Amino acid sequence: MSYLNDQPAGILVLGYGNPLCTDDAVGWHVVEALEGRLPDGSTATFHQLTPEWAEPISAARHVIFVDAAVDGVPGEVHCFPIAAAAGRPGSHETTPDGLLSMAGDLFGRCPPAHMVTIAGDSFEISESLTPAVAAAVPLAVAQIYELIEQLNIAETPPMA
Amino acid sequence: MNKTITIDPVTRIEGHSKITIHLDDTGRVDSARFHVTQFRGFEKLVEGRPFHEMPSLTARICGICPVSHLIASAKACDALMAVKIPETAAKLRQVLNLSQILQSHALSFFHLSSPDLVLGMDSDPAKRNIFGVAAEMPDLAKDGIWLRQYGQETIALLAGKRIHPAWVVPGGVSAPLTEDRRDAILAKIPEATKRVRRTLDWYKEVFGQFDAEIRTFANFPSLFMGLVTDNGELEMYDGKLRFIDATGRIVADKIEPEKFGDYIEEAVEPDSYLKSPYYKALGYPDGIYRVGPLARLNLIDRVGTPLADEEWSEFRMLERGASLSSFQYHYARLIEMLFCVEKIEKLLNSPDILSDHVRAKADPNSLEGIGVSEAPRGTLMHHYKIDRQGMMVWANLIIATGHNNLAMNKGVYQVARYFIHGEKIQEGMLNRVEAVIRTFDPCLSCSTHAFGQMPLRVELRSPDGELLDEVHQG
């Protein structure tokens, strides 16, 4: 997805984390598994959430954030709605609720959003997921696909 | 009884560090030190690897500055191969480097430093961040986001992705630029120009409100170093090294980059992983010099692009010689952003920019190679030695933040001496001690070749080492 693409997305699925830190990469794996099943420009993977995502988020009909969770039983998948909240930015990263807030404040629209988390087992240096987390990828993909079908928004144009 | 203040971690910078401030018996600041507390050891890690892997390996030093390392590393590899890369490849590398400088300067100015400028040094720290700026000056925040997006998107259009692109290779670049991508970058130039100029106009209106900070934020005589073109213009990719002194007088000029070792040596302090380069002729620690936007604009004869030259003329009116206050790194950063936009446009309009001859191929022909370029924070030097099989046997990286280490330490001392009084750290004092570091926009991952995030700690200690107060952030 292009930051500067003027074509707004219906659904926007964002997977993020460090792909060199074992299960921190699970957001990438989940989103890459969704690619080809969603319209072009509906998915993106990156290392960190940065303020630059506020604009594309504001243009989306619905946003799904996919990230590894530090706590929980490894491989456990959770999907829950999230709302805008004042974020606590680091030097160059922010939070999903903070980005939603910024999308509303700066670009005039805060779309509804969900968070999908997959509990990780290891965050050490490795390019492979642990077995439990790798096994959870299809489950997370299925949950996201189900959510999108329920919302019936994949092809729906965004609200004005 | 003497006392010590510790700020740990330092916030809104790239990396882990802490500041220690020692007080004397009367409660006045006696000394202050900026310590970098992260370590990676990349120079050892690369030994034994094939030289052609170096651009990709060293780009992993940092997620903010991968392009800068790609450029300097590829230039060192060009030297090992002893090739002259195709003209188009050199131009494309320049565009990539300028895009990196643009996006990094936007991050530094808008995301990290504008909260201090918009909300004030003494404002509520919970709101003193990019969200606070978005609430107070939404258009400024949007300009920052847009400009960083533009720099990153240009990197992605050239090199395939925004972070850790593998497009820059020894001998040139791996693929030519396509017409549609060139046009996509050029189409946004007018908007980028408008947004940078608007920010510059705003900055020039407000910086006068920070008189105490301008007077005390690393405002002292020092040398300045950077690359310049043969006719003295701003140069980010090639050129020759120049040193000037505080009066603006040229101390050393037309230095071939591979001769930098004749002018610079590195000292090591036991309390920091960040080395301290110094100008050899003046010795350590008197050979203090600064690099980066302020240094570059101090030492050139002109910028070399029309709009940036107009702004630079005004900038040079600040002081008779070199601008000595590091607070004005902010000003210089904005002028350089304008230069980057103008220069990108000029390079992309070159008749040969779409040529498919973008790579020279060769085996290694030299056992030693040096690559020097300007990174957002200052001059970046990669120095490699290989064996006859082309395997790395030795590497030395001198990073912009390292060049600035002595100046940052002196700046912390200066600002602490002015703003810190007594045994408790007030929030505004703490922020100013951090803010002087922030003006240099240090990247501690790069400068220690380290891995991880970068928060900060400040300690206040007595002369006998007793910890009196301590603040953690990040």
Side-chain angles (χ1 to χ4, degrees):
Chain A
M1 134 131 214
S2 164
Y3 273 151
L4 301 180
N5 189 343
D6 292 326
Q7 298 299 315
I11 184 80
L12 184 58
V13 187
L14 303 174
Y16 55 96
N18 188 335
L20 300 177
C21 290
T22 316
D23 294 335
D24 202 31
V26 68
W28 290 63
H29 286 262
V30 170
V31 170
E32 283 167 1
L34 282 165
E35 284 171 0
R37 301 172 71 176
L38 297 175
D40 286 348
S42 301
T43 59
T45 49
F46 43 89
H47 290 68
Q48 293 176 327
L49 289 175
T50 55
E52 288 71 48
W53 284 101
E55 186 180 12
I57 284 171
S58 74
R61 179 77 170 80
H62 195 106
V63 181
I64 300 173
F65 297 93
V66 189
D67 192 12
V70 175
D71 299 322
V73 178
E76 204 170 50
V77 180
H78 289 286
C79 176
F80 50 92
I82 57 169
R88 183 184 177 279
S91 61
H92 43 268
E93 64 180 324
T94 180
T95 55
D97 52 4
L99 267 182
L100 289 168
S101 170
M102 190 174 275
D105 291 345
L106 283 184
F107 300 101
R109 185 168 173 277
C110 174
H114 275 76
M115 183 86 218
V116 173
T117 61
I118 303 96
D121 190 15
S122 169
F123 294 89
E124 297 303 312
I125 294 175
S126 163
E127 291 186 74
S128 303
L129 298 178
T130 58
V133 174
V137 170
L139 302 176
V141 170
Q143 285 205 22
I144 291 170
Y145 208 62
E146 191 179 329
L147 174 64
I148 292 171
E149 286 190 327
Q150 282 172 8
L151 297 168
N152 193 25
I153 52 173
E155 304 283 355
T156 308
M159 289 187 294
Chain B
M1 185 170 66
N2 296 354
K3 323 246 178 222
T4 301
I5 302 172
T6 302
I7 303 177
D8 184 1
V10 181
T11 58
R12 283 188 277 142
I13 62 167
E14 313 294 348
H16 287 288
S17 62
K18 71 171 184 175
I19 292 168
T20 312
I21 300 162
H22 291 265
L23 305 184
D24 63 18
D25 290 335
T26 66
R28 272 181 66 81
V29 170
D30 183 51
S31 66
R33 287 282 297 159
F34 175 60
H35 317 265
V36 177
T37 54
Q38 59 182 69
F39 177 70
R40 196 174 195 184
F42 234 85
E43 290 157 335
K44 292 302 285 181
L45 201 144
V46 299
E47 288 179 6
R49 301 306 306 170
F51 83 92
H52 56 77
E53 288 184 356
M54 288 301 287
S56 294
L57 284 175
T58 55
R60 260 63 186 183
I61 288 171
C62 183
I64 302 294
C65 325
V67 167
S68 306
H69 288 288
L70 273 178
I71 300 277
S73 180
K75 290 184 73 178
C77 292
D78 299 342
L80 292 171
M81 293 156 61
V83 295
K84 181 176 186 302
I85 72 168
E87 289 277 321
T88 300
K91 287 175 182 168
L92 290 171
R93 283 185 184 178
Q94 286 182 67
V95 176
L96 190 73
N97 198 31
L98 293 163
S99 306
Q100 157 71 4
I101 291 168
L102 179 64
Q103 73 87 14
S104 180
H105 280 5
L107 173 71
S108 171
F109 183 82
F110 293 97
H111 295 38
L112 307 183
S113 290
S114 78
D116 296 328
L117 304 174
V118 171
L119 304 164
M121 295 281 172
D122 297 300
S123 59
D124 178 358
K127 294 179 181 167
R128 202 172 52 221
N129 54 47
I130 188 67
F131 289 94
V133 174
E136 188 72 20
M137 288 190 66
D139 287 341
L140 185 79
K142 280 199 266 192
D143 284 347
I145 287 172
W146 194 96
L147 287 162
R148 184 151 191 252
Q149 279 177 352
Y150 178 65
Q152 290 185 311
E153 183 65 12
T154 302
I155 291 169
L157 285 167
L158 288 165
K161 55 181 186 171
R162 291 177 296 128
I163 300 175
H164 302 317
W167 180 65
V168 177
V169 292
V173 296
S174 60
L177 178 63
T178 59
E179 188 174 358
D180 60 333
R181 288 177 178 232
R182 177 198 60 183
D183 292 347
I185 300 167
L186 283 173
K188 302 280 185 181
I189 291 283
E191 183 69 20
T193 306
K194 184 178 84 179
R195 290 178 189 260
V196 179
R197 295 186 81 183
R198 184 158 67 199
T199 309
L200 258 166
D201 288 343
W202 172 77
Y203 180 83
K204 287 186 285 186
E205 275 176 28
V206 302
F207 80 75
Q209 299 165 19
F210 296 89
D211 182 57
E213 287 78 12
I214 290 169
R215 282 189 286 111
T216 57
F217 275 28
N219 189 347
F220 47 74
S222 74
L223 301 181
F224 296 92
M225 183 191 77
L227 290 171
V228 293
T229 65
D230 285 340
N231 55 359
E233 294 178 347
L234 186 59
E235 172 61 60
M236 299 297 195
Y237 175 75
D238 243 327
K240 308 283 196 310
L241 289 167
R242 174 182 282 181
F243 286 85
I244 64 160
D245 66 16
T247 68
R249 186 179 63 88
I250 293 175
V251 174
D253 200 16
K254 302 186 190 325
I255 303 164
E256 293 294 341
E258 57 269 29
K259 299 286 186 192
F260 78 81
D262 294 345
Y263 296 84
I264 294 169
E265 269 188 0
E266 293 180 279
V268 176
E269 290 288 347
D271 59 0
S272 178
Y273 286 120
L274 184 55
K275 289 186 282 190
S276 301
Y278 59 96
Y279 185 67
K280 260 185 186 180
L282 295 181
Y284 179 78
D286 294 338
I288 181 172
Y289 62 92
R290 284 179 264 184
V291 298
L294 183 72
R296 290 189 289 245
L297 293 201
N298 273 337
L299 59 81
I300 55 174
D301 301 327
R302 64 193 152 276
V303 178
T305 59
L307 296 176
D309 261 322
E310 278 178 33
E311 295 291 346
W312 179 75
S313 301
E314 212 172 319
F315 168 85
R316 290 308 298 265
M317 301 293 281
L318 291 175
E319 294 192 45
R320 195 169 293 171
S323 280
L324 300 182
S325 172
S326 289
F327 189 91
Q328 296 301 9
Y329 267 98
H330 298 313
Y331 194 174
R333 213 164 267 129
L334 290 171
I335 295 173
E336 285 197 341
M337 288 174 72
L338 191 54
F339 164 77
C340 289
V341 174
E342 290 184 285
K343 188 80 176 178
I344 288 170
E345 181 180 31
K346 186 176 177 189
L347 287 162
L348 289 181
N349 280 319
S350 302
D352 61 347
I353 199 69
L354 300 180
S355 166
D356 60 2
H357 179 43
V358 291
R359 186 171 186 180
K361 293 187 177 174
D363 290 327
N365 290 298
S366 171
L367 297 179
E368 187 170 358
I370 293 174
V372 177
S373 60
E374 287 291 336
R377 297 158 179 83
T379 317
L380 174 60
M381 297 161 165
H382 281 221
H383 184 183
Y384 305 157
K385 293 179 184 174
I386 56 174
D387 63 19
R388 293 190 182 280
Q389 284 69 48
M391 309 300 271
M392 292 292 299
V393 295
W394 181 87
N396 186 31
L397 314 179
I398 306 182
I399 314 298
T401 299
H403 293 299
N404 281 331
N405 193 20
L406 289 173
M408 287 192 290
N409 271 285
K410 195 166 178 178
V412 166
Y413 171 71
Q414 187 180 40
V415 79
R417 198 161 169 86
Y418 187 83
F419 287 105
I420 302 262
H421 305 286
E423 297 177 6
K424 289 299 287 181
I425 307 170
Q426 303 300 322
E427 166 49 35
M429 298 176 188
L430 166 67
N431 188 42
R432 284 177 175 85
V433 174
E434 292 185 278
V436 69
I437 295 291
R438 232 175 267 135
T439 62
F440 290 91
D441 187 25
C443 185
L444 307 183
S445 287
C446 285
S447 53
T448 58
H449 330 313
F451 178 80
Q453 297 177 332
M454 305 188 173
L456 180 136
R457 187 172 91 198
V458 181
E459 290 175 1
L460 184 54
R461 286 189 183 272
S462 65
D464 61 0
E466 183 196 353
L467 184 65
L468 296 175
D469 196 8
E470 189 174 19
V471 184
H472 296 257
Q473 284 190 20

